[in-house]
Amino acid sequence: MNPLSHPGGYQIPENDIEKQGELKDASINVTPSGSDPGEQHDIPPTPRILKGRLTRWNNKMEGLGGLEARGITRVLPEEKHDMGVMGYLQMFSLWFSISLVATTVVTGLLGPLLFNLGWVDCVCCVIFANALSCCGTAYTATFGPQSGNRTMILGRYFMGYWPSKIICVFNIFNQVGWGIIGSIVAGQTFSAVNGAGLSIAVGCVISALCIGIIAIFGIGILHSFERYAWIPQMFAFLVLIGSAGRNFDTSFTSIGPAGTITANRCSFFALQYSISIGFSCAGADFYVYYHNTTSKRLTFLMTWSGMWIPLVFTNILGVGIATGVPTNPSWNEAYNTSSGALLLACYDGLGGFGSLCVVILALGSIANNAPGTYAAALSFQVLGRYGTAIPRWMWSFLVMVVELVCSVAGRDHLYSIFENLLPLTSYYVSPWVIIVLEEHLLFHVLCRVPFDWTAWEDKKRLPLGIAALLAYLIGWAGAILGMYQVWYQGVIAVKIGNYGSDIGAWLSVAFASLTYPPLRYIELKVVGR
């Protein structure tokens, strides 16, 4: 039985073009774009960068069992596999493991402790903000099985070959940023358990290395790991609830004048929305080996529920912990030390068993950030021919090094990174998602124009992207008007409440959604593609 009969297999398909050079079956088309050679335009060959020892080293690495050699090359229908019911369960478990981590507990802490919101306000923001943001990833994920293309390659069909590179750059920063955050949370947690015996920096290094190793090996190892990673995490969280739940204060109310509370609700809602919306730029990456006939509805449902359920669970758990910080001196002291120390304090009284649970939570950063590191490596390849010439595993290694260095350097500034990085995610992703949605529904579904998935690297068959670029920039203008950050407050944002609030994501969506349809209509009339 083929080990990739389910997406958690350790090997690539026997006819993986990138790993084996060519297909033994001559009946399978291996032209650069997957279409008839007569339809090809001027597609420049991939430059040869690796020479001599580097080539031999790369061949040895790609010969390792379980390492995925494929990068952004489209997965042809002949290479796909019918996963059946287990494939849909794998979708759910993948995102359940990614989202059931201590990092999202930390974001839940910010509702009461940073925005002074009460239990009810925080819970409502958590539920509805994550329900909305998970839709973006679930939607883009549906394109993976039918197209065989990675998410940032799909961006070329919606924003054009050149403008889509802007999203690639933003996606790299976002995924690397989350990798840094995950490594810092893990480092703080490891350090809290070991006291003076292990510094936060060493903990960051351990976490970053583990994340990088899984990302380097690729999709098979990634799926296999994520299938079971949620089990120890759930066990540790259930123990935490039993240990710390008695200190949760569900009667905790929001603090401040009505206008300020409203503004804080908007800001915390935007922060929660930012948690998972960034994965919209990676949703299809993990489904490219699924068969073309995979149900879009089930793909959406399994992806959405796999994200939303654990995100709500962990964030509400973080809110509960935060409501107990003001009234629990030991928690308050631990909170002033680090998030890892606070998690350890929640297991107070359990001794070594509590420390073991904290270590399990720290290791959860691997499940959360390995997919992002994997996606960032693919985005580097989408940037151009020279990026494609460097193997995916090398890019994964580079991303791992960056995350390691930056997490060590920023280990004492976790909450500042949270507060400043996460909203930026929604500013760049939200207008892109609305452009993708409108292009798909208005100009393909309603007009009954199918996508030509074989044109993924042919600039002359892809949209020019002028309309999408203009709408995207206009969307960014809306984000600037509505953003409320420490380093900048938009002219509209400052008018909300007594001190201002962050509505940048919503203005970016409004501006982009209103301008893209007419601009795209004009582009089609003038350019024709």
Side-chain angles (χ1 to χ4, degrees), residues 299-380:
T299 299
F300 183 96
L301 178 62
M302 289 299 173
T303 303
W304 182 87
S305 58
M307 297 181 73
W308 182 74
I309 294 173
L311 283 172
V312 169
F313 175 76
T314 51
N315 272 286
I316 290 180
L317 186 56
V319 171
I321 294 172
T323 60
V325 169
T327 58
N328 191 315
S330 62
W331 286 15
N332 195 6
E333 182 181 356
Y335 171 70
N336 292 327
T337 301
S338 70
S339 60
L342 178 57
L343 288 175
L344 180 61
C346 291
Y347 289 99
D348 188 32
L350 298 181
F353 178 69
S355 298
L356 174 63
C357 290
V358 173
V359 171
I360 292 174
L361 292 181
L363 293 174
S365 66
I366 302 171
N368 181 246
N369 298 116
T373 301
Y374 175 82
L378 294 172
S379 294
F380 272 111

Side-chain angles (χ1 to χ4, degrees), residues 458-475:
D458 191 341
K459 293 187 284 289
K460 294 185 178 181
R461 295 162 62 198
L462 292 168
L464 197 60
I466 296 176
L469 178 60
L470 291 176
Y472 185 76
L473 294 176
I474 293 171

Side-chain angles (χ1 to χ4, degrees), residues 153-168 428 431-433 435-436 439 462-473 516 520 523:
I153 289 293
L154 292 171
R156 295 175 175 177
Y157 288 85
F158 303 107
M159 287 195 70
Y161 186 88
W162 295 107
S164 63
K165 297 180 188 295
I166 298 174
I167 309 300
C168 289
Y428 93 84
W432 180 78
V433 171
I435 289 172
V436 170
E439 172 69 19
L462 292 168
L464 197 60
I466 296 176
L469 178 60
L470 291 176
Y472 185 76
L473 294 176
Y516 180 70
R520 179 61 172 148
E523 183 181 39

Side-chain angles (χ1 to χ4, degrees), residues 264-497:
N264 288 337
R265 287 169 181 161
C266 291
S267 293
F268 185 58
F269 188 96
L271 185 67
Q272 285 291 318
Y273 170 80
S274 304
I275 294 175
S276 60
I277 191 64
F279 267 119
S280 299
C281 294
D285 292 352
F286 314 108
Y287 297 160
V288 291
Y289 288 106
Y290 279 77
H291 199 270
N292 302 42
T293 58
T294 301
S295 169
K296 295 180 183 178
R297 292 183 179 180
L298 285 178
T299 299
F300 183 96
L301 178 62
M302 289 299 173
T303 303
W304 182 87
S305 58
M307 297 181 73
W308 182 74
I309 294 173
L311 283 172
V312 169
F313 175 76
T314 51
N315 272 286
I316 290 180
L317 186 56
V319 171
I321 294 172
T323 60
V325 169
T327 58
N328 191 315
S330 62
W331 286 15
N332 195 6
E333 182 181 356
Y335 171 70
N336 292 327
T337 301
S338 70
S339 60
L342 178 57
L343 288 175
L344 180 61
C346 291
Y347 289 99
D348 188 32
L350 298 181
F353 178 69
S355 298
L356 174 63
C357 290
V358 173
V359 171
I360 292 174
L361 292 181
L363 293 174
S365 66
I366 302 171
N368 181 246
N369 298 116
T373 301
Y374 175 82
L378 294 172
S379 294
F380 272 111
Q381 290 194 314
V382 180
L383 289 177
R385 293 187 300 121
Y386 288 95
T388 307
I390 299 176
R392 180 204 57 79
W393 71 265
M394 286 189 178
W395 283 121
S396 296
F397 178 81
L398 175 64
V399 173
M400 177 191 71
V401 172
V402 172
E403 291 175 352
L404 188 155
V405 173
C406 292
S407 63
V408 171
R411 61 189 181 276
D412 297 323
H413 307 284
L414 175 63
Y415 290 106
S416 296
I417 297 174
F418 261 121
E419 188 178 1
N420 296 319
L421 172 67
L422 291 188
L424 292 180
T425 300
S426 63
Y427 299 156
Y428 93 84
V429 177
S430 297
W432 180 78
V433 171
I434 199 65
I435 289 172
V436 170
L437 182 66
E438 290 185 334
E439 172 69 19
H440 179 212
L441 297 181
L442 299 181
F443 299 98
H444 286 272
V445 175
L446 291 180
C447 296
R448 298 184 179 180
V449 177
F451 287 101
D452 180 8
W453 299 123
T454 66
W456 65 276
E457 62 175 348
D458 191 341
K459 293 187 284 289
K460 294 185 178 181
R461 295 162 62 198
L462 292 168
L464 197 60
I466 296 176
L469 178 60
L470 291 176
Y472 185 76
L473 294 176
I474 293 171
W476 252 102
I480 293 173
L481 294 174
M483 70 169 58
Y484 190 88
Q485 302 300 318
V486 175
W487 40 271
Y488 180 80
Q489 296 83 42
V491 295
I492 297 179
V494 295
K495 298 183 181 299
I496 300 177

